[in-house]
Amino acid sequence: MTEAATALKTTPLHALHVELGARMVPFAGYDMPVQYPLGILKEHQHTREKAGLFDVSHMGQVRLTGADPAGALETLVPGDIKGLAQGRMRYTLFLNDQGGILDDLMVTNAGDHLFLVVNAACKEQDVAHLREKLAGKAEVELLDDLALMALQGPAAAGVMARFVPEAATMKFMTCLSATFKGVPVILTRSGYTGEDGYEISCDKADAEMIARALLAESEVEAIGLGARDSLRLEAGLCLYGHDIDTTTTPVEAALEWTLPKRRRAEGGFPGYDIIHRQLTEGASRRRVGIQPDGRQPAREHTEIQDTAGATLGEITSGGFGPTAGAPVAMGYVDTANSAVGTALTLVVRGKPLPARVAATPFVPQRYYRG
Amino acid sequence: MTRKFTKDHEWVLVEGDVATVGVSDFAQSQLGDVVFVELPEAGRVLEQGKEAAVVESVKAASDVYAPVSGTVLESNQALVDDPSKVNGDAEGEGWFFKLQLSDAAELDDLMDEAAYKAFVEASH
């Protein structure tokens, strides 16, 4: 093993992944399962048809406390955090002064604190950013003693109800403190696959017991990061560091829905002037869904041209969509070429591949709205 | 008639002066689920060790190189229609293309099945 490989961190479920025959790969500093013996294609389909269990313990779980943590957090993100009722959660973005995206995150109002879930690769810088910008206003704690799993798919609710009966009636983007076989868990009805499901936060000492209990249910299979990526891509969801980063604004990234009316009017978040101008006048480029013709996938960094051969941008996520049964992609094009149906050319391995701007998600989202 | 293998995990099976080419079972297991193949058209002249085809799995694209030089006689249309045949039967129904051999001596550069097995075990 190389020095880099020995330095990889592991999650509390590492031994279980190895026992299940996972192919492990380095991801954001962790040794993570990219796939299990089932394979990415079947893991993807299983999640869409039944339920998949994902280890997402590498992600950062952060507790924000203070006199007014919501008010404090609103100085760093454009979301309506003050308006978040207790037990509810939403998706928002850490922004820089240029309106660029530092990370995307989930924020839950957990009553006496805010509970944040941030990306693995960004978690240390996110915590440093929070501590620096919110000094004197909020206390920031990285919850390293917690594990995080996601149970996703149409059978997720039925399975979870066998352990946590009150989970069945939770609405999408809500949170619940509960016990799972006697141990405390925080459940959120959320995920990042486009399917109904839950994320389960628990003490890392309880993670393996919970994972084994869920995997023992006939509908549940362990699913790796490979299928997680194809699932979220089909669902039209951004992957940080690929579809969004410090060079993209929420308007360019087609994430205007993260900019609620009050925040648009009041401002008070980083990059407000730029974002407000882009909301009013439009941005020069936009993230769109892209459907290549035929079966050949177009991968990240593939050049996107208009049909006359002028460069428009590049693919930021692309691959084969197992449920769509076709290649699917996302990328940036100039706004004039961003309408659904616009013909594009992708330069794949030096050859032009015809494609169209497509509506996302590529498969219908099936969140539980109650 | 013996099957020979390259270090890039292609196989070649020669009958007379016609060589059938594919990727090894080990290669398909490493690639994962194959979703697309791009095969050379008949008449194309391929050079040993140079790019001949493309195979794309759910996660990545990989080049397939010509194990020997020759002229493409036909490619496997069934594979274009159902790329999962690579996973199901890499060294049988999952063949990629057939070549008219131009230099049979090139076969001497390749490994036989036992040598290839040892090579895979040593390198993975």
Side-chain angles (χ1 to χ4, degrees):
Chain A
M1 278 216 288
T2 63
E3 209 167 315
T6 55
L8 286 175
K9 289 181 274 192
T10 58
T11 74
L13 297 175
H14 189 268
L16 179 60
H17 299 316
V18 172
E19 180 187 319
L20 294 173
R23 185 178 297 175
M24 306 298 288
V25 298
F27 182 84
Y30 284 80
D31 193 36
M32 296 297 288
V34 66
Q35 66 176 84
Y36 296 87
L38 207 53
I40 295 173
L41 209 61
K42 288 200 180 78
E43 289 173 32
H44 179 113
Q45 285 157 345
H46 187 90
T47 305
R48 291 257 185 263
E49 286 160 17
K50 290 179 179 168
L53 183 69
F54 304 73
D55 179 13
V56 285
S57 298
H58 57 310
M59 296 183 79
Q61 301 183 68
V62 178
R63 188 202 312 265
L64 206 63
T65 50
D68 179 18
L73 188 58
E74 281 199 357
T75 64
L76 304 182
V77 305
D80 180 8
I81 310 302
K82 289 181 191 168
L84 202 51
Q86 185 168 339
R88 297 202 60 93
M89 62 191 297
R90 62 184 40 132
Y91 174 85
T92 192
L93 308 161
F94 286 125
L95 298 177
N96 66 23
D97 290 336
Q98 291 73 48
I101 301 169
L102 294 165
D103 196 7
D104 59 344
L105 67 153
M106 288 286 183
V107 181
T108 302
N109 179 348
D112 61 351
H113 67 278
L114 292 178
F115 175 65
L116 280 48
V117 176
V118 303
N119 281 301
C122 302
K123 64 184 175 186
E124 272 156 31
Q125 75 180 49
D126 288 343
V127 166
H129 178 67
L130 284 162
R131 285 191 175 136
E132 184 200 331
K133 302 289 183 184
L134 304 186
K137 292 190 279 188
E139 293 297 312
V140 182
E141 187 187 354
L142 181 62
L143 304 168
D144 270 336
D145 52 347
L146 298 182
L148 193 67
M149 286 170 265
L151 183 69
Q152 302 279 294
V159 169
M160 188 60 81
R162 287 171 212 154
F163 300 95
V164 186
E166 62 270 43
T169 51
M170 289 175 72
K171 290 195 170 63
F172 183 54
M173 299 299 268
T174 66
C175 154
L176 175 74
S177 287
T179 56
F180 186 110
K181 288 178 79 101
V183 304
V185 292
I186 304 286
L187 293 185
T188 59
R189 196 142 196 184
S190 67
Y192 216 62
T193 60
E195 297 297 321
D196 181 25
Y198 304 86
E199 289 196 353
I200 309 148
S201 175
C202 64
D203 192 285
K204 64 183 180 188
D206 298 325
E208 190 173 326
M209 180 279 286
I210 293 170
R212 284 186 190 276
L214 291 169
L215 288 170
E217 298 300 307
S218 62
E219 301 95 329
V220 183
E221 290 285 347
I223 310 295
L225 292 178
R228 186 169 170 84
D229 191 47
S230 53
L231 288 158
R232 70 91 201 161
L233 172 58
E234 278 187 343
L237 301 169
C238 291
L239 181 61
Y240 191 78
H242 299 261
D243 308 299
I244 49 176
D245 60 30
T246 54
T247 69
T248 57
T249 71
V251 181
E252 292 165 351
L255 295 173
E256 288 93 341
W257 60 273
T258 67
L259 305 167
K261 199 171 164 188
R262 173 176 67 82
R263 304 297 322 270
R264 290 185 191 205
E266 290 174 6
F269 55 84
Y272 175 67
D273 292 347
I274 291 164
I275 288 167
H276 188 262
R277 189 167 68 236
Q278 287 185 343
L279 283 169
T280 313
E281 299 168 13
S284 60
R285 60 177 188 149
R286 188 166 183 80
R287 177 180 63 93
V288 293
I290 295 169
Q291 177 108 54
D293 290 357
R295 282 185 68 89
Q296 182 162 25
R299 312 279 177 183
E300 186 174 358
H301 301 311
T302 298
E303 183 183 341
I304 306 169
Q305 297 179 344
D306 67 16
T307 49
T311 301
L312 301 177
E314 65 173 35
I315 300 285
T316 51
S317 282
F320 190 80
T323 307
V328 292
M330 298 196 283
Y332 285 82
V333 296
D334 70 306
T335 307
N337 283 282
S338 65
V340 169
T342 303
L344 303 171
T345 299
L346 307 176
V347 185
V348 177
R349 310 173 69 83
K351 289 182 208 158
L353 179 70
R356 284 159 292 114
V357 175
T360 58
F362 294 100
V363 297
Q365 291 168 339
R366 296 195 285 188
Y367 306 132
Y368 181 74
R369 307 277 180 183
Chain B
M1 188 174 79
T2 63
R3 197 186 296 265
K4 294 224 164 180
F5 293 85
T6 70
K7 289 182 176 177
D8 296 315
H9 308 289
E10 293 92 13
W11 57 262
V12 55
L13 190 64
V14 178
E15 294 165 88
D17 59 356
V18 175
T20 304
V21 174
V23 300
S24 72
D25 190 58
F26 172 77
Q28 72 76 20
S29 74
Q30 294 295 300
L31 284 165
D33 303 301
V34 172
V35 295
F36 175 81
V37 292
E38 183 182 309
L39 302 179
E41 62 285 7
R44 194 171 138 198
V45 177
L46 301 178
E47 200 181 322
Q48 186 180 34
K50 295 287 167 62
E51 194 181 304
V54 178
V55 55
E56 301 227 20
S57 70
V58 176
K59 286 305 283 178
S62 308
D63 289 321
V64 175
Y65 303 101
V68 288
S69 304
T71 304
V72 177
L73 295 170
E74 64 170 313
S75 60
N76 185 359
Q77 190 55 41
L79 199 58
V80 173
D81 298 337
D82 180 8
S84 72
K85 284 184 193 296
V86 179
N87 297 114
D89 191 8
E91 296 179 19
E93 270 190 52
W95 61 277
F96 275 49
F97 53 86
K98 291 181 194 286
L99 282 178
Q100 180 86 46
L101 270 183
S102 59
D103 180 3
E106 287 177 347
L107 289 162
D108 299 339
D109 302 344
L110 307 182
M111 291 175 275
D112 64 17
E113 190 136 23
Y116 177 68
K117 246 183 198 161
F119 167 75
V120 166
E121 275 167 28
S123 54
H124 292 275

